[in-house]
Amino acid sequence: MPGPGKQRNGPAAGSAGKPHRRLAPWRRLSQALFLLVFFFLFIKTDYTGSDRLEYAVNILFRIDPLLAASVMLAVKGLVALMLPALLLVGLTLILGRFFCGWVCPMGTLIDLCHPFLRPRTRRTDTLYPALPYLLLIFVLAGAFFGLPVAGYIDPFSILVRGLAIAVYPAFNQTVTGFFTYTYLEAPGFVNVVTEPVYSLLRATVLPFDQKYYTLVVLSAAILLAVFVLELIQRRFFCRNLCPLGGLIGLPAAAGIFRGYGGSDDCKACRTCRTVCRMDAIDEERRLAMSRCILCMDCRDKCPRDLIGFRFAPPSRRPAPVSLSRRAVMAALAGAALLPLFSGVRSMAKVPDPFLIRPPGSLPDPEFLDRCVRCGECMKVCIGNALHPSFLESGIEGIFAPRLIARIGYCEFNCTLCGQVCPTGAIRELELPDKHTFKIGHAFFDADRCLPYAKGIPCIVCEEHCPTPEKAIRFRNAVVENDRGETVTVRQPYVVDALCIGCGICENKCPLPDGAAVYVTSAGEARNPEHTLPAADSGLYLSP
């Protein structure tokens, strides 16, 4: 029986008489640095006057093992873009679950919000310890069977999507509105201060242009919920929901970096269990490395310096969590059965014709398998053309990008969306290929188009058409206008072989509500079944 002051699982740091140095300040410094890097890359995911991005702005998603595993299971093969995730797995085997405590921007932001959102209970036991692993099973099995949902629960997707679609545009609108007000209403001496500040913000943190998106409230609500859950339990999302944390915890449990601590006379002290934000310390003062995020609070706050960390051969440790066979089978069954219903939905027979994907997108089934709903393509889109879809392609397509031409258009000389896509769901196109890549086709509504419906001359759509040989041309027609006068007007039409579906004609149409020209997915290059009828294809008869 060990005597007082002696360690069962490691050297007695406290008995040496010299307390160890605190590591929590170094952890906070690491979190701050990586958070700054994250925001730097986030801000740089924008148009800066060049069609080439200077930084690896999508690296966070490419090192995510959860997204890498789900994408590769979905496509049933290796995805080279996601192989950097193996580096994080390897480092976890050596250093433990350091990423969650020292690097993860979501975890850092949750820790920053903790002083303002303190839990209402002092309970230290994790409320739903099995849920992250069940979600992990469901996500990976769902990817294999055709239900790609990793982007809905992955912390990086939630964070970047919420910031890009909701927080950042709102921040820009608020800041710009404030400085516009001071410029117009404040005395001149105030502008001497405010205008240089605004110029500095515009050059550093504000986006190239104000963006507007669909699903703003939903994206913001999901991100806000991650932080509000802190009121229930500290790091609630990380402990009870995050499947990425559950996945990283598996190699951490088998790794060579582990904690030690506890002696026969420390059982009355619960300091370590009280300060542990991940419930990684059990009643016997053993550290479960699958849950420990190496925050070092237990080590730094142990009154006798009995807790520490070291490199040691893998030893028998508590299992990450006990999963019931029924729960595992339910997760697998849900992932396997839900995709069966997708083939009998109406959209399987008649897809939404207004569902237009970005240029370079893969065919929709593989596109949705690879897309992780990160929102990077939407943020970087110069013309504010890309928006998160809702149910246009089913529940598996929520938050995937789609083009809404009335809000924005696909810039003719831009290839940024393919550059930022971390999984290859949107292929990076060279500019000559982008110029001819057809994402849809424009059609005129003769009941609304001014030269057709009212005999009023209008050439706005043709003026903005970006193709070198105009895809919109005119025919002279004699019509009667609203005043009963017979006039000759130029009526626009679309040259099928030249239209690429960029949507600028619909976007710039001067009608105040719905445009007189609209773009659909007809003729899109990624889907041979959408080929437009040729002029020499003969008479079309009803079957």
Side-chain angles (χ1 to χ4, degrees):
M1 178 73 67
K6 295 183 179 180
Q7 289 283 342
R8 284 185 303 185
N9 301 315
S15 62
K18 185 177 180 180
H20 45 221
R21 293 183 178 180
R22 299 181 68 229
L23 293 179
W26 292 101
R27 185 254 306 162
R28 286 191 284 269
L29 177 62
S30 174
Q31 287 182 297
L33 290 176
F34 280 107
L35 185 63
L36 288 175
V37 170
F38 165 75
F39 280 123
F40 175 80
L41 294 178
F42 178 82
I43 291 171
K44 289 299 180 181
T45 310
D46 199 3
Y47 177 67
T48 57
S50 171
D51 188 48
R52 304 302 304 178
L53 293 173
E54 301 177 2
Y55 305 95
V57 295
N58 60 15
I59 190 62
L60 187 66
F61 296 96
R62 296 175 61 191
I63 64 173
D64 185 330
L66 175 66
L67 298 181
S70 63
V71 169
M72 293 183 193
L73 284 171
V75 302
K76 314 298 189 296
L78 289 177
V79 178
L81 287 170
M82 304 300 290
L83 290 180
L86 294 175
L87 176 62
L88 179 55
V89 175
L91 290 174
T92 303
L93 283 168
I94 299 172
L95 300 175
R97 197 173 159 178
F98 76 99
F99 184 85
C100 299
W102 291 66
V103 178
C104 178
M106 178 72 90
T108 300
L109 291 172
I110 290 174
D111 287 343
L112 286 174
C113 291
H114 174 71
F116 310 101
L117 298 169
R118 292 189 179 277
R120 299 179 181 276
T121 176
R122 294 183 177 273
R123 179 176 176 178
T124 59
D125 296 339
T126 300
L127 296 178
Y128 310 107
L131 191 52
Y133 298 95
L134 294 175
L135 286 174
L136 174 63
I137 294 170
F138 179 79
V139 166
L140 297 183
F144 181 81
F145 289 111
L147 185 67
V149 294
Y152 300 160
I153 192 65
D154 178 77
F156 304 151
S157 295
I158 293 174
L159 177 59
V160 174
R161 184 174 64 238
L163 291 176
I165 294 176
V167 177
Y168 198 43
F171 170 75
N172 179 63
Q173 187 177 59
T174 302
V175 171
T176 303
F178 171 77
F179 284 102
T180 300
Y181 175 81
T182 60
Y183 178 78
L184 295 175
E185 304 295 338
F189 69 86
V190 174
N191 291 328
V192 174
V193 177
T194 58
E195 286 305 293
V197 173
Y198 179 67
S199 298
L200 177 63
L201 293 175
R202 175 59 62 189
T204 53
V205 300
L206 294 181
F208 172 74
D209 202 1
Q210 179 65 51
K211 300 288 182 65
Y212 303 88
Y213 294 104
T214 59
L215 303 190
V216 169
V217 175
L218 180 59
S219 302
I222 293 174
L223 179 59
L224 181 62
V226 172
F227 299 99
V228 172
L229 287 172
E230 193 77 353
L231 291 170
I232 300 175
Q233 191 170 57
R234 185 163 194 187
R235 284 240 183 182
F236 183 96
F237 178 82
C238 307
R239 294 165 64 169
N240 298 279
L241 293 174
C242 183
L244 173 60
L247 180 59
I248 294 177
L250 298 178
I256 60 175
F257 190 67
R258 50 193 62 259
Y260 62 84
S263 66
D264 286 350
D265 62 346
C266 77
K267 291 183 178 179
C269 175
R270 296 177 55 86
T271 300
C272 57
R273 281 181 55 78
T274 301
V275 301
C276 181
R277 63 192 70 190
M278 291 294 291
D279 187 29
I281 303 175
D282 64 15
E283 293 290 348
E284 299 297 325
R285 308 305 189 268
R286 295 176 300 179
L287 276 70
M289 298 309 296
S290 61
R291 298 193 294 273
C292 177
I293 60 173
L294 305 175
C295 67
M296 299 299 171
D297 285 344
C298 59
R299 175 187 181 273
D300 291 350
K301 295 181 180 180
C302 178
R304 300 187 62 231
D305 293 332
L306 296 175
I307 296 177
F309 294 82
R310 63 185 177 185
F311 291 99
S315 59
R316 182 175 177 80
R317 291 281 160 176
V321 72
S322 177
L323 297 178
S324 71
R325 182 180 301 178
R326 180 178 298 178
V328 172
M329 292 305 296
L332 290 172
L337 294 176
L338 286 176
L340 298 179
F341 298 98
S342 61
V344 296
R345 296 175 300 186
S346 60
M347 66 187 66
K349 183 175 178 63
V350 183
D352 187 340
F354 295 100
L355 185 62
I356 304 170
R357 299 299 188 190
S361 297
L362 300 174
D364 226 45
E366 187 177 355
F367 173 80
L368 293 178
D369 284 343
R370 286 179 177 250
C371 178
V372 294
R373 302 2 177 222
C374 61
E376 295 268 52
C377 58
M378 306 173 208
K379 182 179 184 299
V380 82
C381 180
I382 300 175
N384 197 193
L386 299 181
H387 300 263
S389 55
F390 190 44
L391 293 172
E392 293 83 0
S393 56
I395 59 171
E396 69 272 28
I398 300 175
F399 292 120
R402 61 171 300 197
L403 183 143
I404 303 180
R406 198 54 173 158
I407 302 176
Y409 61 91
C410 181
E411 170 59 44
F412 189 63
N413 292 313
C414 173
T415 62
L416 294 176
C417 58
Q419 295 178 49
V420 301
C421 182
T423 64
I426 305 172
R427 293 182 291 111
E428 183 177 351
L429 299 174
E430 296 298 328
L431 201 54
D433 297 326
K434 164 65 189 304
H435 286 166
T436 59
F437 193 93
K438 192 177 184 69
I439 60 175
H441 193 75
F443 297 90
F444 283 96
D445 183 348
D447 291 331
R448 295 182 56 78
C449 183
L450 296 177
Y452 285 95
K454 299 194 177 286
I456 298 175
C458 179
I459 61 172
V460 172
C461 54
E462 187 269 349
E463 285 182 321
H464 285 90
C465 181
T467 57
E469 294 183 63
K470 294 288 187 177
I472 296 178
R473 298 178 183 177
F474 296 101
R475 299 186 183 100
N476 288 328
V478 178
V479 299
E480 186 175 297
N481 63 22
D482 286 348
R483 295 190 296 271
E485 302 169 342
T486 300
V487 296
T488 300
V489 294
R490 303 171 68 195
Q491 293 179 337
Y493 69 95
V494 178
V495 180
D496 291 359
L498 299 177
C499 179
I500 58 174
C502 68
I504 193 170
C505 53
E506 181 178 347
N507 182 259
K508 301 299 183 180
C509 179
L511 292 184
D513 46 10
V517 56
Y518 59 93
V519 179
T520 76
S521 60
E524 58 180 352
R526 69 194 187 115
N527 191 346
E529 296 180 357
H530 285 188
T531 302
L532 291 167
D536 59 353
S537 54
L539 181 65
Y540 279 82
L541 300 175
S542 60

